[in-house]
Amino acid sequence: MARKTASDDPLAPVTLAVGQEDLLLDRAVREVVAAAKATDADTDVRDLTPDQLQPGTLAELTSPSLFAERKVVVVRDAQDLSADTVKDVKAYLGAPAEEITLVLLHAGGAKGKGLLDAARKAGAREVACPKMTKPADRLAFVRGEFRTAGRSATPEACQALVDAIGSDLRELASAVSQLVADVEGTIDEAVVGRYYTGRAEASSFTVADRAVEGRAAEALEALRWSLATGVAPVLITSALAQGVRAIGKLQSARGGRPGDLARELGMPPWKIDRVRQQMRGWTPDGVAVALRAVAEADAGVKGGGDDPEYALEKAVVAIARAARSRGRA
């Protein structure tokens, strides 16, 4: 979610939204506009791009009104403003007008940094809208969306949703809204699966996750659902192979923090944490057995057998059994 400064009044004279995540930038604008309209339903909103904000335009928009109307002036891509217009904005920051809220959207890079620094020095309310490139950030975003909606979702459900949807925050937010609207009670992984497991990548990795966790019945159920929804068997064998190899890699790695292991093994830190949970009960012999099962399944789905579905089911059962090689319950 967007992070805000301690002075969090949406009707502060100046709001500075910094970052490149479009959804969060749009939300920062909507929050200010909603607060203004809650105070005055007739609030005038002006949403401007750099080419629309010429020298003198800001002074005209913020000049005192005979009727003292409330106004919100939104300036997008403020880092692209011309030098003369930047001078106008800096001058305004020193003496903002009453009943007017200025919202500056800035990418946050080196371009236009003078304006960014000036707004901060003037005490602007700041909303951080960084691009969410890390899976852990997107997971935190999904959890926040459910909290904001006043709904409970299990950690597994949140992770499954991120795995299924990917990196687009708008799609993630939309998916959360759909689940909240359609589902009563706690939203769990099974619910997410019913809505989104038709996505090939998500469903194939769900099969692999359940198998390496030793949950044979759930893995088989996910497998049948994946095949029924048109997931290519080769994608499932690939996911199984990746899941077992990750277990083997982490078993043979030196102990350490997730960040250190991530660099050593070429995995993101969030995946290190997940594999650590999944590898309980695994032995080196179990990994060897599971890899042979995956190889046989791979040959079966690529023409070496008459029944690809049976080959996959056999591999899933073998992997699940290997995951319990230390008597895991």
Side-chain angles (χ1 to χ4, degrees), residues 42-328:
D42 296 324
T43 294
D44 182 18
V45 179
R46 304 295 180 92
D47 197 324
L48 307 170
T49 55
D51 61 303
Q52 295 173 311
L53 195 65
Q54 300 299 318
T57 304
L58 183 62
E60 179 182 339
L61 290 173
T62 57
S63 60
S65 167
L66 179 64
F67 303 102
E69 65 178 350
R70 180 171 289 280
K71 186 178 294 184
V72 175
V73 178
V74 180
V75 179
R76 296 185 181 271
D77 299 317
Q79 72 278 357
D80 295 331
L81 292 172
S82 69
D84 288 338
T85 303
V86 167
K87 290 180 182 178
D88 288 351
V89 176
K90 287 182 176 179
Y92 177 81
L93 292 173
E98 293 185 9
E99 303 299 318
I100 292 177
T101 299
L102 175 64
V103 184
L104 298 174
L105 275 57
H106 194 292
K111 187 178 183 182
K113 190 172 184 297
L115 177 58
L116 188 63
D117 293 341
R120 286 170 171 162
K121 186 175 180 180
R125 165 184 178 258
E126 185 168 342
V127 182
C129 307
K131 202 75 176 174
M132 294 191 181
T133 58
K134 298 179 180 178
D137 292 337
R138 294 192 287 272
L139 182 59
F141 172 79
V142 168
R143 288 171 176 163
E145 291 291 287
F146 280 118
R147 281 197 300 270
T148 300
R151 295 296 299 279
S152 176
T154 66
E156 294 80 9
C158 294
Q159 184 65 65
L161 196 59
V162 172
D163 290 344
I165 301 299
S167 61
D168 191 308
L169 287 201
R170 291 188 188 278
E171 286 195 26
L172 285 169
S174 176
V176 170
S177 297
Q178 181 181 22
L179 290 169
V180 166
D182 293 356
V183 180
E184 295 182 359
T186 299
I187 295 166
D188 59 19
E189 190 175 10
V191 169
V192 174
R194 288 200 299 271
Y195 276 77
Y196 298 105
T197 200
R199 298 182 181 228
E201 182 180 356
S203 55
S204 60
F205 281 104
T206 297
V207 176
D209 284 341
R210 297 299 84 80
V212 299
E213 290 163 3
R215 295 154 67 177
E218 293 175 44
L220 288 171
E221 181 181 357
L223 171 63
R224 288 160 189 155
W225 178 263
S226 298
L227 294 171
T229 54
V231 178
V234 68
L235 291 178
I236 299 173
T237 55
S238 175
L240 290 170
Q242 289 184 49
V244 176
R245 286 178 189 139
I247 298 288
K249 283 183 178 181
L250 199 54
Q251 272 189 345
S252 60
R254 299 186 302 272
R257 295 174 300 179
D260 296 332
L261 288 170
R263 286 189 291 274
E264 181 183 344
L265 302 178
M267 298 180 193
W270 65 267
K271 189 169 184 178
I272 296 291
D273 290 334
R274 172 184 280 189
V275 176
R276 272 179 166 166
Q277 295 176 355
Q278 293 175 333
M279 67 186 288
R280 296 168 189 158
W282 279 92
T283 65
D285 286 344
V287 172
V289 168
L291 286 174
R292 283 197 296 272
V294 172
E296 291 173 4
D298 189 54
V301 303
K302 291 179 179 177
D306 297 328
D307 191 343
E309 183 173 340
Y310 173 71
L312 286 169
E313 288 184 356
K314 185 179 177 182
V316 164
V317 171
I319 293 169
R321 285 176 178 168
R324 296 174 176 270
S325 54
R326 280 185 184 160
R328 179 180 170 188

